[in-house]
Structures are given as structure tokens and as C-alpha cells.
Amino acid sequence: MSNDTEPAQVSSVAAESHAGACDAEMQLLEGAVRSLPYHVVKELLSVGVCARCVLRLFGIEEHIYCHSSFSQSMLGSILEEETSFKSEVEFQFCSVCLGVLQFSYCDDGEETVVKKESAKDMALSIAELVKQEGHQIDGFSLEVSVPPLILENESSLLSHMKKKYESEPWFQERLLSKCHSVKDVLKFAITKPLETLLGVKASASSFRIRLTYTHKRASKKVQNSVERNQECKRRKTGTENALHNVNDESVIADKDCSGYSTIETNSVTGIFSNGVQDQETSEHFESPIEKVSEPCHLVYVCCRTHIYLCGRYLKYSRNVSQTRWIIDEERMGEASVEEIIGSNILPICQGDNYKFHAAGREDIDVRMLGSGRPFLLEIQNARQVPSELIVKEMESKINGLENKSVGVKNLKVVGSQGWALMHEGEAEKQKQYCALVWISRPLEDEDMQTISLLNDMKILQRTPIRVLHRRSPLEREKIIHWMKIERIAGSSQYFLLHLCTQAGTYIKEFVHGDLGRTQPSVGSILGCRAEILQLDVTDVKMDCFVTE
């Protein structure tokens, strides 16, 4: 019997606890509202300020009025002025927050107005998007962008209130101290419901939920302010064409989280703020503020900051370029390392796109053997972050491809520090090569000894003729760390040249001299004509990219 009644008792206790918490919140709210100068609250409501904006302007703590059941009629009821506010209680979009804190908005690209009943309903729409896109998350970061018009309206309203009420005792205490921003209130209101719906906590996460609000009325006023500022700058500097167009409606959320920006901080900094403006600034705005007939447009997107996979690639083919190579709409080579690796990893991570970065490059006809070349693959907006096991499966899949033209090793997921590792090792890296060389006379034992004694030899290389069309005509000093010659059985004029050089050395030109543009060269050292027939990279030494 006791086992049957225990769950009901627990449920009852939980319900009573929740009800008690709600009652406590309502008591706090009632106390906070009753402490306000009700004649001022009445005026704010009469000019179209929503209930949440009324309380945030007075510095009431968010947790008190972000309760899901809080509304404007409740505010009037608490003030025992519901009858006199009756005409104003009819729903209208807030003239300060433009519907943001009323959870009302227009869908982007449409004129349909969406009105959510509560923060929980708003959070539900966002959570559905996250689940619909299939993101694997262990936390989220919530970002909100609002149009400059909101800051403008707030500044105008506070300036008006300052002129009218600054002599009253409540003014200094209330309006100048703890005014909460629209963004902070909205984030506070929807964060907890989102945590519940998504089953994870808000944190400094790589997964971001971004809400970008815009309003068409913002464009003209912000543009006028920017034009005034730019005109002043032109008068001071005498420059022309200094004005860049600002269109608030163009500020929407970009899928690429790393390139996010908003004109809110760029255009409005120094013009509006969350506090009371001085007389000079307030002259630019109408007071009191105008009522609005439509809310903001809203775009909300969810995305992950880029994830990175690093490793080393091997290229076994002399007809595969490092990156996709198209000339006059014709592909050069049969494929590219970039496409082979990226196309096999992107679907597993369920990302939008990828970018391939490598520590240097080899020509299309040069193989990359030995330890392989370090690379970094950047996956944009990955829905899935691969585990170590899945990464190993990725590696096996690429290495098991039928054409066997490209392989990978030491593949692993790294943070953005992968960039730092690439740059850190790139300048200091050494590279080893094996070149098949032909000379115009038979190879002598003395030639082999001469070559092997040349350690840390400095050479000067002018930009090779073959790349002058795309590289600056410069002279570069490079170091040949060591060389050795390996004879080829049955041949007197062909041999293998093994050498280790500083990164950035043009090996082909070092062998044949490039019509004297590289000094010294293998040809000049041996005193004969030298030609390179094939070249392989056998090692790229970068300590930060392990080779095991």
C-alpha cells in the first residue's frame, strides 16, 4: 500500500513546492511594482511602453518579472489601476523594445506577425530548430542582436523622463542606476526554458544560438546620425566619399559564426547608450517616442563555431594537385588532396562546408611521401563532433580508397589552437626531398664527396621564371642543410639526390639553376648541365605535428 501512495505523495510535494515558489515570485513582483511611482508608470504605459520595459527601466531585477505569466494587465491589476488603463491594455507593440520583450516578431522575409504567449513558447521554437538541424550539443551560448532603434528610443524616453521628473526623489535612485538592457532581459527570460528543452546548460560553448532582430524604421534614423558624423569628419579631414551605407535590414544572422557582426556597435557607439543622454544628444530625438505598428523582424539560427581536424597527408600520385585547380574552366589533374580528404570527412561531421589548409605545398607532379605534410581541415557548422573512434574510421576510409592516390595519418580533432600550431612550425620547418637527377657527363666519386661536404650552404634564389606570373620578383636567401648522392645501378649520368632544405626553397631551380637565377645550383657546383626528372618530398619536419 505504501509503495502505491509514495509517488503520489512525492508529486504532491513537488507541486506544492512549485506553487510556493510561484507565490513567492508574485509577492516579490507585487512588492517591486508597488514601490514604483505609479503616475510615471501610467505615463509610460500610455506612450506604448510594455510592462517588461517599464520594470527594466526602473531597474527591477529580471528574475522578478520574467515569470511566464507576467503581463501588462497584471501590472495594471497590481497597481489597482486596471480600469483607467483599459484602453491601453489592448495589445500593442512596445514603442521601446519593438515587441522583442513581448515575444512578438515578423518572420524574416514575411509580413506575418508571430506572437508567442511566453518565453517558454519562444524557447520552444528555438529548441525545435536545434533538433531539426540535428546538432549534437553539450551546452549552448545564446547571442542576441537588436536594432539601433531600440537604443535610440530608450535614450529618447529617458531624456524625456529626465526633463520631466529629475527633481523627484525616485528619479536618481531608479533611472540612473540599474536599468537593464533589452538583450539582457530577453536572454534571462529564455535561457532557463532553453536549458530545460535542450537538456544542457548555457555556457561558453562552441555551439551558438543567435537571435538577430531588425526593424525597417531603424535605417533612416541611424543613417541620418551616421551621415551627420561622417559630414563632420569630412569637414575636418577634407576627404570625400567617406560615407558607407548602413542598412539595418541587411543585418541578419550569418551561418558562418566566425564572421558575425552588427551595426549596433558600429553605428551607434558614441551616439546612443543605455543611460540618460545629455541635452545636446537628446535634441536629435523626438520626445516622447512614437508608437509602432509592427514588431521587429527576427532571424534565429543555430550554428557551431568551426571545428578543426589536423593530421598529415601523403600524396602517391603525380597527377593530383594539393587543392582544386581549375584553369579556363578545365580541371588540372585527376583530383586534389583537398577534395579527397574534405569530401570524406564533411558528411560524417554533417557540416555546411570545409576549408583545407596545409603547411606549404608541392607541385602537382611531386609526390608527398614519408612522414607526410601537416594539414588542417576546418569544418564549418558541424552538427556532429567526431569521437576518437570515428576519427580513426575516417582515417581508415581515406586510406582504403580504391585509387590509393592520397593517404592520411595521425588524424585528430583539435581546437582553434591548430592554427597556432601551423603558424608556429611553418617558419622553422625543414623539408627533405629525393630527386631523380640527370647530368651531362658521367658522375664521379669526387662529385659525391663534394656534394656531401656542403652543409648549411646558403643560396640566393630569384623568383623562378615558371612562377613569375603569380609571385613577386624577389630574391630570397635559403639554406641547404645537407645533401648526399645515391648511385643508380647501371647508370652513370642518372642518380638520386637526397637533400634537406629550409622551407620555401625551390628544389627544381636549385638543381638546374633556372638560367642563373639560383646561385649556386647543383649544376654550377658540379660544373655541368643538371636536370631534375622527378621529385618526391620525403619529410616535413614540424615538431608540433607529431609523426608517429
Side-chain angles (χ1 to χ4, degrees):
M1 179 70 71
S2 60
N3 290 338
D4 294 334
T5 59
E6 187 174 350
Q9 290 172 350
V10 171
S11 176
S12 175
V13 169
E16 289 176 6
S17 176
H18 178 70
C22 291
D23 289 342
E25 287 179 355
M26 288 306 298
Q27 288 175 7
L28 285 172
L29 176 61
E30 182 173 349
V33 171
R34 290 191 180 281
S35 70
L36 302 179
Y38 99 97
H39 61 293
V40 182
V41 174
K42 182 175 180 179
E43 179 174 349
L44 291 174
L45 294 175
S46 71
V47 297
V49 181
C50 72
R52 284 188 176 85
C53 277
V54 168
L55 297 187
R56 73 178 182 82
L57 291 171
F58 280 108
I60 302 299
E61 293 297 326
E62 295 104 320
H63 71 274
I64 297 179
Y65 59 92
C66 282
H67 193 276
S68 59
S69 61
F70 177 72
S71 66
Q72 188 147 315
S73 59
M74 178 182 293
L75 179 62
S77 177
I78 293 175
L79 289 169
E80 299 179 348
E81 288 289 328
E82 190 170 353
T83 302
S84 63
F85 289 144
K86 207 63 167 171
S87 62
E88 301 296 337
V89 169
E90 298 299 324
F91 187 88
Q92 58 183 314
F93 300 114
C94 177
S95 51
V96 178
C97 72
L98 311 179
V100 172
L101 297 184
Q102 296 167 302
F103 312 119
S104 300
Y105 57 90
C106 290
D107 276 329
D108 182 57
E110 301 179 11
E111 295 304 317
T112 306
V113 175
V114 178
K115 296 180 181 178
K116 299 295 183 182
E117 292 296 324
S118 65
K120 184 177 181 180
D121 292 336
M122 183 80 176
L124 184 60
S125 298
I126 299 168
E128 286 174 353
L129 174 66
V130 175
K131 293 174 182 177
Q132 178 183 338
E133 294 202 0
H135 285 279
Q136 169 200 17
I137 61 174
D138 55 8
F140 68 90
S141 172
L142 181 62
E143 299 175 350
V144 177
S145 173
V146 297
L149 182 58
I150 289 179
L151 301 179
E152 177 184 328
N153 286 349
E154 189 173 295
S155 298
S156 180
L157 179 64
L158 291 174
S159 293
H160 174 72
M161 301 305 290
K162 177 180 179 181
K163 293 175 186 176
K164 190 167 183 179
Y165 296 114
E166 65 178 334
S167 62
E168 298 187 18
W170 60 266
F171 184 84
Q172 294 294 328
E173 179 185 348
R174 293 284 186 181
L175 279 176
L176 293 182
S177 57
K178 299 179 181 178
C179 175
H180 302 293
S181 71
V182 170
K183 290 197 293 186
D184 287 346
V185 172
L186 179 66
K187 289 168 74 172
F188 186 90
I190 64 177
T191 293
K192 280 194 174 181
L194 270 176
E195 288 179 336
T196 301
L197 291 165
L198 297 176
V200 293
K201 291 292 184 181
S203 61
S205 173
S206 63
F207 178 73
R208 299 176 181 178
I209 298 171
R210 180 182 300 155
L211 281 63
T212 304
Y213 290 89
T214 60
H215 198 281
K216 64 182 181 181
R217 273 183 52 192
S219 300
K220 185 176 179 181
K221 292 189 177 184
V222 171
Q223 184 68 25
N224 289 342
S225 298
V226 173
E227 286 175 356
R228 281 195 297 271
N229 282 356
Q230 293 292 344
E231 182 61 32
C232 290
K233 290 179 181 178
R234 284 198 294 271
R235 288 173 185 167
K236 291 178 181 178
T237 63
T239 57
E240 298 295 332
N241 300 322
L243 178 63
H244 297 280
N245 289 332
V246 178
N247 186 343
D248 180 68
E249 288 186 315
S250 70
V251 184
I252 64 172
D254 188 343
K255 282 278 187 180
D256 184 358
C257 288
S258 66
Y260 180 61
S261 63
T262 174
I263 64 170
E264 176 188 344
T265 54
N266 297 333
S267 302
V268 184
T269 302
I271 304 175
F272 315 125
S273 72
N274 285 334
V276 179
Q277 302 300 300
D278 59 26
Q279 181 65 31
E280 181 181 349
T281 305
S282 65
E283 287 176 357
H284 295 309
F285 312 118
E286 297 177 70
S287 183
I289 51 181
E290 298 177 5
K291 294 183 180 180
V292 294
S293 59
E294 61 180 278
C296 291
H297 280 70
L298 171 63
V299 176
Y300 52 89
V301 296
C302 53
C303 60
R304 188 186 306 281
T305 53
H306 305 331
I307 67 169
Y308 300 91
L309 290 95
C310 78
R312 287 176 176 256
Y313 76 80
L314 298 105
K315 182 164 79 75
Y316 306 113
S317 169
R318 298 193 189 279
N319 195 31
V320 170
S321 58
Q322 185 189 81
T323 56
R324 191 168 180 261
W325 189 11
I326 305 294
I327 298 178
D328 296 329
E329 299 183 358
E330 183 179 350
R331 172 185 281 277
M332 300 292 106
E334 64 188 49
S336 71
V337 175
E338 170 188 47
E339 292 169 298
I340 292 171
I341 295 177
S343 63
N344 281 281
I345 291 179
L346 184 68
I348 299 174
C349 294
Q350 299 177 36
D352 290 342
N353 206 344
Y354 68 84
K355 289 184 179 179
F356 183 84
H357 314 275
R361 63 170 60 235
E362 65 283 329
D363 293 338
I364 189 171
D365 61 346
V366 176
R367 295 186 300 178
M368 180 66 243
L369 306 176
S371 63
R373 185 183 299 277
F375 74 90
L376 200 63
L377 189 70
E378 174 184 334
I379 304 293
Q380 300 171 355
N381 194 24
R383 273 70 171 178
Q384 302 291 320
V385 179
S387 64
E388 286 187 23
L389 178 61
I390 292 176
V391 169
K392 289 298 180 186
E393 291 174 357
M394 289 177 178
E395 192 173 300
S396 299
K397 181 181 179 182
I398 294 170
N399 292 333
L401 291 175
E402 188 175 346
N403 59 14
K404 302 288 185 182
S405 59
V406 172
V408 294
K409 60 198 306 185
N410 306 322
L411 192 63
K412 62 181 178 180
V413 176
V414 293
S416 56
Q417 73 270 18
W419 271 115
L421 292 175
M422 289 282 283
H423 291 304
E424 176 187 324
E426 199 164 30
E428 299 300 324
K429 70 176 182 286
Q430 296 180 6
K431 297 162 74 174
Q432 292 182 20
Y433 301 87
C434 179
L436 175 61
V437 179
W438 170 88
I439 57 174
S440 57
R441 60 169 177 79
L443 180 69
E444 306 290 343
D445 290 340
E446 185 181 345
D447 297 328
M448 298 178 65
Q449 185 176 6
T450 298
I451 290 293
S452 64
L453 291 176
L454 296 174
N455 294 324
D456 294 327
M457 178 179 68
K458 292 183 179 180
I459 66 171
L460 290 177
Q461 290 193 311
R462 293 165 65 189
T463 302
I465 293 172
R466 65 186 171 94
V467 298
L468 264 176
H469 64 287
R470 56 186 173 88
R471 297 279 175 87
S472 300
L474 301 173
E475 187 173 74
R476 302 169 178 86
E477 182 180 89
K478 296 296 179 180
I479 298 175
I480 309 298
H481 295 292
W482 55 260
M483 293 183 286
K484 68 177 181 178
I485 289 177
E486 179 185 349
R487 286 186 180 274
I488 296 177
S491 175
S492 63
Q493 291 179 259
Y494 293 88
F495 60 86
L496 296 177
L497 176 66
H498 299 275
L499 67 165
C500 176
T501 75
Q502 181 183 352
T505 304
Y506 291 104
I507 304 302
K508 293 176 180 178
E509 283 68 25
F510 172 62
V511 172
H512 59 64
D514 198 25
L515 301 178
R517 297 173 66 86
T518 292
Q519 288 290 343
S521 64
V522 172
S524 68
I525 293 169
L526 297 181
C528 62
R529 181 181 165 199
E531 295 293 343
I532 184 167
L533 304 180
Q534 288 184 345
L535 180 64
D536 294 331
V537 186
T538 56
D539 193 13
V540 178
K541 294 184 179 296
M542 285 177 66
D543 292 339
C544 52
F545 276 75
V546 295
T547 58
E548 293 83 38

